[in-house]
Amino acid sequence: GESVGLHLPTLSVQEGDNSIINCAYSNSASDYFIWYKQESGKGPQFIIDIRSNMDKRQGQRVTVLLNKTVKHLSLQIAATQPGDSAVYFCALHDAGGSQGNLIFGKGTKLSVKP
Amino acid sequence: GAVVSQHPSRVICKSGTSVKIECRSLDFQATTMFWYRQFPKQSLMLMATSNEGSKATYEQGVEKDKFLINHASLTLSTLTVTSAHPEDSSFYICSAGGGYEQYFGPGTRLTVT
């Protein structure tokens, strides 16, 4: 079956530094990838997405990089702020699943030190 | 736009009772809704896919007779946890939409005592 994993379960950064959260996946047929932010006791919040025909996409303070050769996805957060503290999940569109469900990675907890 | 709500946000029930969780798409119609379960410090695991007007599709290992799903309208799906046990205590999250766009609800914290 599909699996989506993360290299680092926890990440602690200083306020103002850049953060990089990584994700590995195994299904080469996946065509759509998303990063979500989840704060304690809340549902996932969409951050940024990328389709498989791209290798980089930028948003406001966030950049997602996709390396299909090694099946690796990363989220870069520039000038990390205390409000960025949360658990971050990568997810991929399950091309073989029922009606486009998402498969989530294990999550990385980002802690921002003031 | 694309707001999904869940009710209740928190519920405590006694072992053996049933509890219903509602998922609503507030400003759009959703023919497909998904139900996820999340245990503490773990990721979201898909339980089932809910389709308006038809039976839900359950993931392997999820008991369809225990987790009853009803998607009677284009804006409402319900998940009923029947004969709840303490091990059913979890954070239940729904999402609406499908394919490349899914919008998540705020989640429901279920505690079974």
Side-chain angles (χ1 to χ4, degrees), chain B residues 4 19 53 63 65 86:
Chain B
V4 176
V19 60
E63 301 175 59
D65 294 330

Side-chain angles (χ1 to χ4, degrees), chain B residues 6-81:
Chain B
Q6 285 184 239
H7 177 79
S9 58
R10 290 177 177 269
V11 58
I12 301 173
C13 70
K14 292 186 177 181
S15 185
T17 62
S18 296
V19 60
K20 180 185 288 187
I21 302 170
E22 294 184 347
C23 177
R24 293 181 185 273
S25 56
L26 298 185
D27 49 4
F28 66 102
Q29 294 183 331
T31 55
T32 303
M33 292 184 174
F34 300 92
W35 286 96
Y36 296 83
R37 180 168 52 184
Q38 185 178 33
F39 292 107
K41 299 184 178 181
Q42 294 189 22
S43 188
L44 283 75
M45 295 298 295
L46 180 67
M47 299 176 65
T49 303
S50 170
N51 298 296
E52 187 268 337
S54 65
K55 292 183 179 180
T57 303
Y58 290 82
E59 295 299 301
Q60 191 173 10
V62 178
E63 301 175 59
K64 61 181 181 181
D65 294 330
K66 180 171 182 61
F67 299 98
L68 302 179
I69 291 173
N70 184 280
H71 194 157
S73 78
L74 289 172
T75 59
L76 173 64
S77 175
T78 61
L79 169 68
T80 301
V81 183

Side-chain angles (χ1 to χ4, degrees), chain A residues 57-105:
Chain A
R57 190 157 188 240
Q58 288 184 292
Q60 187 176 14
R61 284 202 303 119
V62 295
T63 301
V64 55
L65 298 177
L66 175 63
N67 186 329
K68 295 181 289 294
T69 302
V70 296
K71 300 188 184 66
H72 184 269
L73 187 71
S74 69
L75 175 70
Q76 300 178 2
I77 304 174
T80 313
Q81 303 169 359
D84 295 327
S85 295
V87 177
Y88 290 80
F89 293 97
C90 64
L92 56 83
H93 173 246
D94 183 6
S98 55
Q99 299 164 64
N101 59 278
L102 298 175
I103 297 177
F104 282 79

Side-chain angles (χ1 to χ4, degrees), chain B residues 94-107:
Chain B
C94 72
S95 70
Y100 300 112
E101 293 186 6
Q102 285 192 36
Y103 305 98
F104 284 84

